[in-house]
Structures are given as structure tokens and as C-alpha cells.
Amino acid sequence: EKSFWDVIEISTDPIIASHSNCYSLNPHYRNLTDEQIKAIAEKGGYIGINFYNKFLVKSGGADIEDVVRHIDHLKDLVGVDYIGIGADFDGGITPPAGLEDVTRYPELTSALLQRGYTKEDVTKILGGNFLRVYKQVCG
């Protein structure tokens, strides 16, 4: 965690936490605390929700609703402009039921729309926010 705060202090650019979830929903040591999430948002950064079962729920056995629950928490805490996807399908994870691979992204889109997210919100979450940060830092 000390390294995280060092990066926040030193960086003049937005921070990307590409494969991170919410510690307050599942206290896994890899997940971000609310304070860390707020610090990334204050820098204009981006948090990519990871689909690994054990990062989503303590017991594993997660499903698409658990992914949406982490997205909802970020939205409620800092707003939709700092949320993205860091699925990690190439990393040998056990994905949540309903999001076994990229062909299931339409189900995630549908779940977000049903939860009240706008099309603009969903576009940001599914890549727009990452592109914003990438263009700012690398553009």
C-alpha cells in the first residue's frame, strides 16, 4: 500500500489501476480501499474491474451481479468517469458465472442498462474512460 501512495504523491498524470476491485465489498489484499479509489479519481485516473472470482467475493463463486456490484460501488463513491473493465481473461482466472469470456460482454452491457446506467455511461465503462486516460498520458 505504501507504494500506491508513493505513486499518487509523485505522479503528475492520471493513475491507472487496470485490474482492481473494491476492498469494502471484498477485503482481499489486492482490492482497493475507498481512500485509494478516491485518490485515483482525484488524479483523473481509471480503475478496471477485474473478473477473478476471489477478488469479487470472498468465497469465490461470483456471478455477473457481483461485477455490477463493484461497478455500482465505484459509481456511488466517485462517479462513472473513473470505471472500466480489467477482466484478465488472459491471466488464468476463474471468471464469474455469466462472464466466462468476451462473448458475454453483451450480458454485462444489458445488466448495466437494466441497473439504470445510460448508454453514455456504459460506453465510458467499456472503454471510453481508458481511452480518455490513455490519450491524456500518451497522446
Side-chain angles (χ1 to χ4, degrees):
E1 191 171 332
K2 182 182 180 329
S3 297
F4 173 90
W5 292 110
D6 288 345
V7 170
I8 290 292
E9 182 180 330
I10 293 167
S11 180
T12 58
D13 288 320
I15 305 299
I16 294 175
S18 61
H19 297 78
S20 300
N21 293 0
C22 306
Y23 186 88
S24 65
L25 298 180
N26 181 27
H28 190 284
Y29 71 93
R30 286 274 314 265
N31 290 344
L32 298 170
T33 66
D34 287 353
E35 292 76 27
Q36 290 172 312
I37 292 165
K38 289 176 185 176
I40 290 169
E42 287 171 9
K43 287 270 191 181
Y46 161 88
I47 300 163
I49 293 296
N50 188 277
F51 291 179
Y52 181 45
N53 266 330
K54 292 187 178 181
F55 294 169
L56 292 163
V57 294
K58 188 173 186 173
S59 64
D63 62 23
I64 192 169
E65 284 302 312
D66 294 305
V67 172
V68 174
R69 194 167 54 99
H70 280 263
I71 292 171
D72 283 345
H73 183 74
L74 290 175
K75 179 189 66 113
D76 292 344
L77 191 63
V78 296
V80 76
D81 291 331
Y82 311 102
I83 308 169
I85 302 299
D88 213 10
F89 286 132
D90 65 340
I93 65 165
T94 304
L99 284 171
E100 293 82 7
D101 59 43
V102 296
T103 66
R104 305 302 295 267
Y105 273 23
E107 283 84 356
L108 178 58
T109 300
S110 178
L112 292 170
L113 291 170
Q114 289 174 9
R115 201 70 156 244
Y117 289 81
T118 66
K119 288 180 181 180
E120 180 184 0
D121 293 340
V122 173
T123 298
K124 288 178 179 184
I125 292 168
L126 295 182
N129 288 331
F130 174 80
L131 290 174
R132 171 187 53 79
V133 174
Y134 181 82
K135 287 175 185 176
Q136 182 176 347
V137 175
C138 299

